[in-house]
């Protein structure tokens, strides 16, 4: 049976016009929906709406405006569910050799139905809030939620309006699938430009003050926060025009760079690195204290994430106790530089103390890694988690309080003196950022060189299959232990800078949550990808903030862990390779899909009479000429 006949047998309504791989067939009838699937997705959306609403997120976020008088972050948290479900319901899985339906009214009707169910969840919630007191079972619930759902016009209006909003938003999400690729790109660019400008309001205004262009930002932003309607319209229109004019040019430039080889590729990379470095050096000069503080916090987590990326991303060692090395670096630097250190206080210069930090942290990495490095998988993760807590409890204990101060910690830590020329401390976040930037540059270079070295290839072989790597002659114990120590040393740099920046260290600063957040940053950005790790730190830490560090969206302070978890689940389901993945990691995760696509394409080609179809398709999937 051919691929066309098999597809027709599975779906009689499918009008197959071509069996070529990836060819589209005419749209399905508007009401030929899989209503069971829509019902299931709608039920999940209702539960999601209940969870978001009763966690009090819409009320807490309602004070942050996106567009003044039109849309707030609170209402956006309610609209995002029907938007996502309306877009998801029309998704088709595309495989080589399997035709797919062209988008049409079917996607719009399905999106409207799913969105109406999601909106119906809020309508049902409005009825429940009007008739029952939910304060006792749900302590986070606020009576303001009922007024917010009804726009201040009562329960009946809330029931009707959310059905309409849900259906409208779902239909709009389905309509996006009908648009041509250029129109979709322009639309998403406009939406992201408006949302990004609203989220980055504090950063933009801070930079505008340094550049002396405050009147321009005063025109774009309202006095109470958020974009003005006119400013949002101008920004959306301008970004849409730029997206239309530049369509395909960014991809073409990227393709040209990817096609470069040898010296030409090295020159292009060096120019890109030099441009990025120059921007990072110049940006803090025009930025205010708020922006520099934010950049310094992001830089500290970039340094930590680069260290963990070697352990998890390259060597495949799931380390859940990475905060231990952060703590050891901080306490070692504090003991060697502070005059208030309980037992010994040599008051060494910061750079001299840094040598001691590297030695002590390397020894701690060997001490922790040696007994656990032979373990694999979940056992290794649990043991490293335990060691991370052991280190924190040792710093907290009365037994070592004579050395590290116990719960009182170590205070009055001096700043980092840079060869007698300047002193870096928390009172000057700009200098802290420059110090962090220098260490991040070193960490990036070390990571890049190691990844392309023989050791890096051994790490990646262990990550892919430790048994096979051992059979090929790789000493897996030594290789994994080396990754552990290198990651520990990079993490200690961040700890040493942190103690000089804050001026004090306490055991409460090194909770296991720090390890979890750094791991989320690495996974979200892309394990094994240096650029991905930096991007993940900028997005998560810069926007949402760290465990105790504020981000641009301070309103998310009590919901950041919830959002971290949701992002992690979404990333694992839809994009496990990360935001900006490495090519090797992407191939590892999708090799089964590539093989399946090649097999399907080969089957279709065979049905068309090509005896070598399967082998040719396999070669094409591997990127080799048939």
């Amino acid at each position: 049976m051919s691929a066309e006949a098999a597809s027709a047998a599975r779906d009689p309504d499918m009008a197959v016009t071509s069996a070529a791989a990836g060819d589209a067939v005419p749209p399905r009838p508007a009401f030929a929906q899989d209503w069971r699937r829509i019902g299931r997705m709608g039920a999940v959306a209702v539960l999601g709406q209940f969870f978001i609403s009763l966690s009090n997120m819409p009320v807490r976020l309602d004070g942050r405006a996106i567009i003044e008088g039109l849309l707030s972050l609170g209402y956006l948290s309610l609209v995002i569910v029907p938007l996502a479900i309306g877009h998801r319901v029309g998704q088709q899985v595309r495989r080589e050799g399997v035709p797919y339906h062209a988008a049409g009214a079917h996607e719009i009707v399905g999106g409207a139905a799913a969105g109406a169910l999601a909106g119906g969840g809020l309508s049902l919630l409005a009825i429940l809030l009007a008739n029952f007191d939910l304060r006792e079972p749900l302590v986070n619930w606020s009576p303001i939620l009922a007024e917010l759902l009804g726009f201040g016009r009562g329960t009946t209006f809330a029931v009707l309006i959310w059905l309409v909003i849900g259906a409208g938003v779902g239909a709009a999400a389905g309509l996006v699938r009908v648009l041509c690729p250029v129109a979709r790109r322009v639309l998403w660019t406009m939406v992201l430009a408006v949302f990004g400008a609203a989220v980055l309001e504090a950063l933009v205004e801070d930079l505008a003050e340094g550049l002396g262009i405050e009147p321009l930002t005063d025109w774009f932003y309202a006095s109470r926060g958020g974009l003005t309607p006119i400013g949002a319209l101008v920004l959306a229109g301008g970004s849409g025009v730029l997206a239309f004019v530049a369509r395909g040019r960014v991809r073409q430039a990227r393709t040209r760079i990817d096609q470069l080889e040898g010296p030409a590729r090295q020159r292009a990379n060096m120019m890109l690195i030099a441009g990025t470095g120059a921007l990072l050096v110049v940006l803090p000069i025009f930025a205010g204290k708020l922006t520099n503080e934010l950049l310094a916090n992001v830089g500290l987590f970039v340094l930590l994430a680069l260290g963990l990326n070697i352990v998890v991303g390259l060597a495949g060692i799931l380390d859940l106790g990475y905060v231990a090395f952060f703590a050891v670096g901080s306490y070692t630097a504090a003991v060697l530089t502070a005059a208030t250190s309980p037992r010994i206080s040599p008051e060494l210069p910061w750079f001299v103390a840094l040598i001691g930090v590297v030695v002590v942290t390397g020894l701690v990495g060997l001490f922790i890694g040696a007994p656990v490095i032979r373990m694999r998988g979940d056992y290794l993760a649990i043991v490293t988690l335990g060691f991370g807590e052991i280190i924190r409890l040792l710093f907290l204990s009365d037994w070592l309080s004579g050395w590290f101060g116990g719960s009182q910690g170590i205070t009055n830590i001096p700043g980092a003196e840079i060869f007698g020329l300047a002193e870096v401390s928390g009172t000057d976040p700009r200098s802290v950022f420059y110090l962090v930037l220098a260490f991040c540059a070193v960490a990036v270079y070390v990571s890049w060189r190691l990844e392309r070295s023989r050791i890096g290839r051994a790490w990646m072989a262990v990550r892919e299959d430790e048994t096979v790597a051992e059979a090929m002659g790789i000493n897996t114990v030594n290789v994994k232990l080396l990754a552990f120590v290198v990651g520990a040393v990079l993490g200690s740099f961040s700890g040493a800078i942190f103690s000089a920046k804050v001026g004090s260290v306490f055991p409460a600063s090194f909770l296991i949550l720090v390890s979890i957040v750094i791991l989320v940053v690495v996974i979200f950005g892309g394990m094994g990808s240096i650029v991905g790790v930096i991007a993940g730190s900028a997005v998560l830490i810069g926007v949402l903030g760290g465990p105790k560090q504020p981000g641009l969206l301070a309103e998310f302070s009590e919901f950041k862990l919830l959002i971290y978890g949701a992002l992690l689940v979404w990333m694992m389901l839809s994009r496990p390779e990360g935001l900006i993945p490495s090519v090797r990691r992407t191939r590892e995760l999708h090799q089964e899909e590539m093989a399946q696509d090649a097999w399907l394409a080969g089957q279709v080609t065979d049905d068309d009479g090509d005896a070598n179809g399967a082998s040719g398709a396999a070669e094409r999937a591997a990127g080799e000429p048939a």
Side-chain angles (χ1 to χ4, degrees):
M1 181 182 293
S2 68
E4 296 178 11
S7 300
R10 289 192 298 269
D11 187 356
D13 295 329
M14 186 190 313
V16 179
T17 59
S18 174
D23 281 355
V25 300
R28 288 167 287 192
F31 292 95
Q33 303 286 340
D34 185 351
W35 296 107
R36 288 187 178 181
R37 179 170 180 266
I38 292 176
R40 290 193 300 269
M41 297 181 71
V44 172
V46 169
L47 293 176
Q49 294 287 58
F50 270 61
F51 181 79
I52 291 173
S53 302
L54 295 178
S55 66
N56 212 29
M57 187 183 294
V59 174
R60 295 296 178 90
L61 302 183
D62 192 47
R64 180 65 178 262
I66 301 295
I67 302 175
E68 183 190 27
L70 296 178
L71 180 64
S72 71
L73 209 54
Y75 280 109
L76 182 61
S77 67
L78 296 175
V79 171
I80 197 71
V81 174
L83 181 67
I85 208 75
H87 189 262
R88 177 77 176 178
V89 76
Q91 183 178 8
Q92 299 180 64
V93 179
R94 298 184 183 181
R95 290 286 185 266
E96 281 286 343
V98 178
Y100 63 92
H101 292 282
H106 181 274
E107 280 68 24
I108 300 175
V109 173
L117 289 175
L122 293 178
S123 300
L124 177 60
L125 181 60
I127 296 173
L128 294 175
L129 293 177
N131 294 278
F132 300 97
D133 184 8
L134 302 179
R135 270 185 174 276
E136 186 173 347
L138 301 169
V139 294
N140 287 329
W141 172 71
S142 171
I144 305 174
L145 177 62
E147 184 178 352
L148 187 143
L149 290 177
F151 297 88
R153 299 186 181 183
T155 305
T156 304
F157 183 80
V159 171
L160 297 177
I161 194 63
W162 282 111
L163 287 172
V164 174
I165 291 176
V169 170
L175 179 62
V176 171
R177 292 191 175 277
V178 182
L179 301 177
C180 64
V182 174
R184 279 201 302 269
R185 188 182 306 116
V186 170
L187 179 62
W188 284 122
T189 302
M190 294 166 64
V191 172
L192 290 176
V194 172
F195 180 73
V199 169
L200 301 176
E201 179 179 354
L203 181 63
V204 172
E205 290 184 340
D206 197 29
L207 290 174
E209 184 178 354
L211 295 172
I213 55 173
E214 292 176 278
L216 182 61
T217 56
D218 291 341
W219 186 81
F220 271 99
Y221 292 105
S223 57
R224 294 186 178 182
L227 291 164
T228 61
I230 297 178
L233 188 62
V234 171
L235 184 63
S239 61
V241 171
L242 286 176
F244 180 78
V245 172
R247 67 187 186 279
R249 297 186 181 182
V250 175
R251 183 177 298 176
Q252 291 173 4
R254 191 169 153 191
T255 303
R256 284 197 299 268
I257 293 175
D258 290 339
Q259 291 174 347
L260 296 176
E261 296 180 358
R265 180 63 180 268
Q266 292 180 359
R267 284 195 300 270
N269 290 337
M270 290 302 298
M271 290 177 60
L272 183 61
I273 293 172
T276 304
L279 177 63
L280 291 175
V281 170
V282 173
L283 181 63
I285 298 175
F286 298 99
K289 189 172 183 179
L290 172 66
T291 303
N292 283 313
E293 180 70 25
L294 183 68
L295 290 174
N297 288 333
V298 171
L300 287 173
F301 276 88
V302 167
L303 196 51
L304 285 169
L306 286 170
L308 187 61
N309 185 52
I310 290 178
V311 181
V312 178
L314 294 184
I317 305 171
L318 183 55
D319 184 1
L320 296 182
Y322 190 71
V323 69
F325 307 123
F326 182 45
V328 170
S330 297
Y331 268 97
T332 305
V335 167
L336 295 178
T337 59
T340 55
S341 178
R343 182 65 60 87
I344 59 172
S345 52
E347 299 183 55
L348 298 175
W350 190 80
F351 269 102
V352 177
L354 193 63
I355 300 174
V357 169
V358 172
V359 172
V360 172
T361 310
L363 292 175
V364 172
L366 285 173
F367 175 77
I368 295 177
V372 306
I373 210 67
R374 294 182 184 275
M375 299 180 181
R376 300 185 186 183
D378 299 338
Y379 301 101
L380 177 61
I382 293 171
V383 172
T384 54
L385 177 65
F387 270 111
E389 277 296 281
I390 288 171
I391 295 295
R392 183 184 69 85
L393 292 174
L394 285 175
F395 287 131
L396 183 62
S397 67
D398 294 335
W399 179 48
L400 294 178
S401 61
W403 290 87
F404 305 113
S407 60
Q408 303 300 317
I410 302 175
T411 57
N412 297 324
I413 302 172
E417 188 175 346
I418 310 300
F419 304 116
L421 301 176
E423 183 176 336
V424 176
S425 63
T427 57
D428 186 9
R430 182 181 299 162
S431 62
V432 175
F433 171 69
Y434 282 133
L435 181 62
V436 173
L437 182 62
F439 276 89
C440 284
V442 173
V444 167
Y445 179 75
V446 169
S447 300
W448 177 70
R449 293 292 295 175
L450 285 174
E451 182 181 353
R452 285 157 178 77
S453 67
R454 184 175 182 178
I455 295 173
R457 292 193 292 271
W459 283 339
M460 287 182 278
V462 170
R463 179 189 67 194
E464 293 176 20
D465 195 317
E466 186 172 345
T467 304
V468 174
E470 192 170 6
M472 295 297 294
I474 296 175
N475 190 330
T476 57
V477 173
N478 290 348
V479 165
K480 290 164 68 177
L481 194 58
L482 181 60
F484 220 76
V485 172
V486 173
V489 170
L490 292 182
S492 70
F493 290 158
S494 182
I497 299 173
F498 174 79
S499 64
K501 173 181 180 292
V502 178
S504 59
V505 290
F506 302 97
S509 301
F510 309 106
L511 300 175
I512 196 65
L513 180 61
V514 178
S515 292
I516 304 301
V517 170
I518 301 169
L519 183 61
V520 171
V521 166
V522 173
I523 295 173
F524 179 78
M527 289 192 295
S529 170
I530 296 174
V531 178
V533 165
I534 297 173
S537 301
V539 172
L540 293 183
I541 307 301
V543 176
L544 297 177
K548 294 186 178 180
Q549 295 79 14
L552 289 173
L553 290 178
E555 294 83 2
F556 278 110
S557 58
E558 61 182 289
F559 304 111
K560 66 176 67 173
L561 296 182
L562 172 64
I563 297 172
Y564 281 151
L567 281 176
L568 198 58
V569 171
W570 174 77
M571 188 64 68
M572 291 296 97
L573 292 175
S574 62
R575 194 176 174 85
E577 63 269 25
L579 191 65
I580 306 178
S582 64
V583 176
R584 185 187 296 271
R585 183 65 176 166
T586 303
R587 289 173 180 170
E588 290 176 18
L589 292 172
H590 294 284
Q591 58 183 348
E592 292 184 2
E593 296 177 12
M594 294 169 62
Q596 183 184 31
D597 287 349
W599 181 82
L600 287 170
Q603 292 297 310
V604 173
T605 312
D606 282 344
D607 290 336
D608 288 342
D610 186 357
N612 297 319
S615 60
E619 291 176 354
R620 288 192 295 274
E624 300 174 2

